[in-house]
Amino acid sequence: MRSLAFLAVMATGLLTAGLVHAGGLEDKNLGEAALKLEDFHRAIDHFTKAIQSGELSDADTATTLNLRGLAHYSNIPPDRSTGNSQQIRRHFDHAIADFSQAVRLVPEYAEALNNRGQAYHQGPYYTHYVNQSRRAAEDFQTAAKLGHAAAQFTLGWYYEKGWGDLPQDRQQAAKWYRKSAIQGHSNAQYNLGVFLTAGSFVRRNFTESAQ
């Protein structure tokens, strides 16, 4: 009798070869596995099959869209000067479109809002969206109010720098750094520490700004 391990390997091979249809949830799981291995093209392929299967709930579809957006976003080379600008633009556009569809399905999807904000923030030279800094700030504000630690940190940073049509406001920056720091965000903890040791204004107004 063949072992279960052998049968599992055979099943994986058949799925990879496309000889057996995995099903929506299985494709989603295979996409997540490929994403962890940084096999972004295969991840995108599996996520697309999962979305097109029509077998996922709205919540699972939103999650899969967010993950596919991350795969597109992660496929952008860190040194963009070495990449093809048209390919980079396509990845940014696909990522933003996926994050946006996820948010349409689940309006309070903080992770997708934060990811879209990051894409708006990182892609102004490669995408056609106008007022990207303002759009990023709006997404970070919404996600931050939903309790997303990374968005809270970035919103604090936007207030500190006065980006995205937000006023330069150290009190608001300290407020959002604190909220993020409480959740264990290391960069927020560092920036908040700098604020508290650097100026009496922030120390004096810190209690009020945290409310």
Side-chain angles (χ1 to χ4, degrees):
M1 181 178 290
R2 297 182 186 275
S3 69
L4 290 175
F6 174 82
L7 293 173
V9 170
M10 286 295 294
T12 301
L14 290 170
L15 288 169
T16 302
L19 300 177
V20 175
H21 176 61
L25 284 175
E26 184 64 24
D27 266 316
K28 176 179 177 290
N29 292 335
L30 289 169
E32 290 184 70
L35 185 59
K36 289 179 181 177
L37 294 173
E38 298 185 359
D39 188 346
F40 302 124
H41 291 292
R42 179 166 292 180
I44 290 167
D45 181 58
H46 281 300
F47 290 140
T48 299
K49 288 178 181 176
I51 293 163
Q52 292 177 346
S53 72
E55 299 172 5
L56 303 181
S57 66
D58 282 353
D60 281 332
T61 300
T63 300
T64 308
L65 284 163
N66 178 61
L67 291 169
R68 189 175 68 175
L70 279 176
H72 278 295
Y73 186 72
S74 301
N75 208 22
I76 298 167
D79 182 2
R80 291 169 201 158
S81 63
T82 65
N84 181 297
S85 61
Q86 290 185 337
Q87 286 184 337
I88 291 172
R89 175 171 178 165
R90 280 197 296 271
H91 282 303
F92 269 118
D93 284 347
H94 284 310
I96 290 171
D98 280 345
F99 298 143
S100 296
Q101 287 185 63
V103 171
R104 279 194 290 272
L105 281 172
V106 183
E108 294 190 346
Y109 193 174
E111 181 72 16
L113 285 160
N114 178 68
N115 290 338
R116 186 174 66 178
Q118 290 293 342
Y120 281 139
H121 174 77
Q122 295 289 340
Y125 300 107
Y126 298 100
T127 57
H128 60 278
Y129 300 95
V130 297
N131 298 321
Q132 286 200 183
S133 181
R134 177 177 56 77
R135 288 172 180 242
E138 290 172 353
D139 280 343
F140 293 139
Q141 284 178 308
T142 305
K145 290 174 183 177
L146 290 168
H148 194 280
Q152 291 170 341
F153 163 72
T154 309
L155 182 58
W157 189 31
Y158 264 52
Y159 272 116
E160 183 179 354
K161 302 297 183 182
W163 289 348
D165 291 341
L166 295 177
Q168 191 169 19
D169 188 332
R170 290 174 64 84
Q171 187 171 334
Q172 282 294 316
K175 167 186 172 178
W176 289 108
Y177 284 152
R178 178 181 182 273
K179 288 179 180 292
S180 181
I182 288 172
Q183 296 195 66
H185 195 287
S186 59
N187 289 337
Q189 291 168 344
Y190 176 82
N191 284 13
L192 182 61
V194 170
F195 266 39
L196 292 177
T197 57
S200 59
F201 173 81
V202 174
R203 287 198 301 272
R204 187 170 64 248
N205 292 277
F206 184 64
T207 301
E208 179 183 346
S209 71
Q211 295 175 353

